[in-house]
Amino acid sequence: MPELPEVETIARGLHTLVQGRRIREVLHFTPSVLRAGNPGSLPGRTITYVSRRAKLLLVHLDQGECLAFHLKMTGRVWVASPGQDLPKHTHLVCELEGRDRLIFEDTRRFGFFGIYGPQDIEAWSFYQNLGPEPLQSTAEDLALRLGARRAGVKSLLLNQTVLAGIGNIYADESLFAARIHPASLAANIPLAKRVQLCSELQRILLEAIAAGGSTISDYRNAYGKSGIFQDSFEVYGKKGQPCPACGRALKAEQIAGRTSTHCPRCQKLY
């Protein structure tokens, strides 16, 4: 699933491509992936800017409306040139001035989109309950938020109501960087160590954004390009390979319902 750096990269690329452009026509949409609003209201609207909240991609329109996409596992939003063939699993096509097309595709159909007015999106329970943005908070504030709950630290990092936008990749990488075992109870981790974890998380997120995100299989940015941060992974997806710090074989186990790769020697269990 695209996480914060991947969706941020898509948002920045789309903003460059579509800001100020008017939607001429909605050519196609799949009703089953529509969560709110009426695509028939989109023609005539102008795209004012594109942003991200958590793992949501937000295309803002004049008159305060917002076209929101959740990409889930395999969703993509990109701009196709005139005459370019549509992918097989295309679920929304918005033709723009100049005849470029804003495309939403998703092979598995887990992703979805909705059209929300300014009050509607704030009233959406999923949006309402999102936690703070990791890059818009201090490491100290994030550390206090993690320590306030009696739950596993990996579970809390993945919980979108605690921190917004973090998934398995960046949870595993930041826990390794801070040398914290993913099965640790957050409240048992000393405050200074939690601050270190959140500082490492912020550093890794910024580095991943600079690298265009991580491409494991399906992720592409707004230009159709892969990210390269996967080349910098220290532990994610590297079960059995030597730990980059001590050389011991990395271990993978199910923690918080996800495969968690870690070093049993370097990462302390609290």
Side-chain angles (χ1 to χ4, degrees), residues 75-91:
R76 288 184 60 203
V77 178
W78 56 287
V79 176
S81 58
Q84 190 170 352
D85 291 339
L86 294 178
K88 179 180 178 181
H89 301 284
T90 295
H91 303 303

Side-chain angles (χ1 to χ4, degrees), residues 105-144:
E105 62 168 305
D106 186 4
T107 304
R108 297 189 182 183
R109 293 197 184 193
F110 293 157
F112 60 84
F113 74 97
I115 302 149
Y116 299 89
Q119 287 78 39
D120 298 331
I121 197 162
E122 296 292 342
W124 181 18
S125 60
F126 175 82
Y127 192 92
Q128 264 185 347
N129 293 326
L130 288 171
E133 290 287 331
L135 295 176
Q136 295 175 10
S137 304
T138 67
E140 290 76 13
D141 285 345
L142 296 175
L144 290 172

Side-chain angles (χ1 to χ4, degrees), residues 167-184:
N168 209 32
I169 293 172
Y170 301 104
D172 277 3
E173 289 294 307
S174 59
L175 286 164
F176 176 75
R179 302 299 191 262
I180 296 171
H181 194 287
S184 299

Side-chain angles (χ1 to χ4, degrees), residues 14-52:
L14 282 178
H15 179 79
T16 299
L17 293 170
V18 303
Q19 184 193 24
R21 301 181 70 177
R22 187 169 63 89
I23 299 172
R24 295 181 66 252
E25 188 177 0
V26 173
L27 301 173
H28 171 84
F29 79 93
T30 304
S32 63
V33 301
L34 176 66
R35 292 292 185 272
N38 175 17
S41 69
L42 294 174
R45 293 284 186 265
T46 297
I47 298 171
T48 55
Y49 65 102
V50 182
S51 69
R52 176 198 57 78

Side-chain angles (χ1 to χ4, degrees), residues 175-176 179-182 261-269:
L175 286 164
F176 176 75
R179 302 299 191 262
I180 296 171
H181 194 287
T261 309
H262 59 280
C263 175
R265 177 179 291 168
C266 293
Q267 293 176 250
K268 183 176 178 179
L269 179 63

